[in-house]
Amino acid sequence: MKRNIVIATLTAAALATGGTVAAFAADDDEATATQRQTDTSAQAATDRDDADDAADDRDDDATEDRTAVRGADVTAAEAIAAALKHTPGTAVSADLDDDGAVAWKVSVVKGDGTEYDVRIAPDSGRVLGAQRDTDDDQDGDDRAELAAVKGAKTDAREAALAAAHKGTVTEVGIDDDNGTVAWSAETVKGTGHGEWNIALDTGKVTQDRDDDGDGDDA
C-alpha cells in the first residue's frame, strides 16, 4: 500500500514538473516569435524612413536644379564645348553648380592625366576660369572609366545632347553600373526630375533603374 502511494506521488511530481517545463518552453517560443516580429517591424520602419529620406533628397535636388536652370541660357552641351575649346582634353562631367554663384563646372582630363575644373558662365558661355583639381588621384576604377570614355563613340557633349530630349540637362557624368560604364544625366522638365543612362556605343537613352522619380519616360 505504501509502495503504491509512493509511486503515485512520484508520478504526480513528474507530471507537474513536465507541465512546468512545457509551460516554460511555450513561453520561450512565444517570446522568440514576439521578438522576431518586433525586429521585422523595426527593420520595415527603418526601410521606410530610408526611402522617405531618399525621396526628400531627390525632391531637394530637383528644386535646386529647377532654380538653377532659370538663369541658364547655355546648355550642358554648349558648356562642355566651351570648356574643351579653352582646355583641350576629355570632358568627364558637367554640372550646373549652384554652390554660390551659378555656373557650369566642366571637369576635363588633359592628355597628361591632370584634371581641370573649367567654370562656364550659364548666361553667356564665357569661360570664368580653370583650376587644376588637386584631388585628382585616380584609382583603378577611375582609370578604367576614363579609358572607356576615351574610346567611346558617344562623348560627354553628345550624351548631353541625347539626354536633352528628356528635359533640361543639369548634370552629366560617368557612371559605372555593375561593371557597365555609361554616361549618366539628370534633367528637369516642368515639375519633373529625371535620371538617365546614355550608352557609350549607341548614345541610346534609358531611364536609370534606380530612379523612381517622375521624369518623362517618353
Side-chain angles (χ1 to χ4, degrees):
M1 184 67 178
K2 290 182 179 180
R3 182 172 177 272
N4 290 338
I5 293 174
V6 170
I7 292 174
T9 302
L10 292 175
T11 300
L15 289 173
T17 302
T20 303
V21 171
F24 277 124
D27 289 343
D28 186 56
D29 289 343
E30 184 178 352
T32 300
T34 300
Q35 183 61 46
R36 287 175 180 169
Q37 184 176 3
T38 300
D39 292 343
T40 302
S41 299
Q43 183 60 50
T46 299
D47 292 342
R48 285 195 299 272
D49 289 342
D50 290 343
D52 290 342
D53 289 343
D56 289 342
D57 288 341
R58 284 194 297 270
D59 290 342
D60 290 342
D61 290 342
T63 300
E64 292 174 359
D65 287 346
R66 284 193 293 271
T67 300
V69 299
R70 287 172 186 166
D73 296 324
V74 176
T75 66
E78 291 169 342
I80 292 170
L84 290 176
K85 184 177 180 180
H86 180 273
T87 307
T90 301
V92 294
S93 69
D95 179 19
L96 189 55
D97 189 2
D98 58 354
D99 185 12
V102 177
W104 282 105
K105 183 176 75 173
V106 182
S107 295
V108 178
V109 179
K110 300 184 72 173
D112 60 2
T114 57
E115 184 172 341
Y116 284 79
D117 290 333
V118 185
R119 296 182 66 82
I120 306 295
D123 54 348
S124 65
R126 182 171 60 89
V127 176
L128 301 175
Q131 183 176 2
R132 179 175 177 177
D133 185 354
T134 57
D135 296 328
D136 62 353
D137 293 335
Q138 297 179 352
D139 58 19
D141 291 339
D142 292 333
R143 288 191 292 270
E145 291 175 359
L146 181 59
V149 168
K150 283 185 174 180
K153 294 180 180 179
T154 305
D155 60 20
R157 187 188 70 85
E158 293 166 334
L161 286 173
H165 292 290
K166 302 296 184 179
T168 302
V169 178
T170 59
E171 183 178 345
V172 62
I174 306 172
D175 183 42
D176 186 345
D177 185 12
N178 296 322
T180 301
V181 180
W183 292 107
S184 66
E186 294 187 19
T187 62
V188 292
K189 186 176 182 180
T191 59
H193 175 265
E195 297 181 10
W196 314 93
N197 292 325
I198 302 94
L200 296 181
D201 52 354
T202 64
K204 181 180 180 180
V205 180
T206 56
Q207 188 167 20
D208 190 331
R209 58 188 176 186
D210 292 331
D211 174 34
D212 57 358
D214 50 359
D216 180 7
D217 201 17

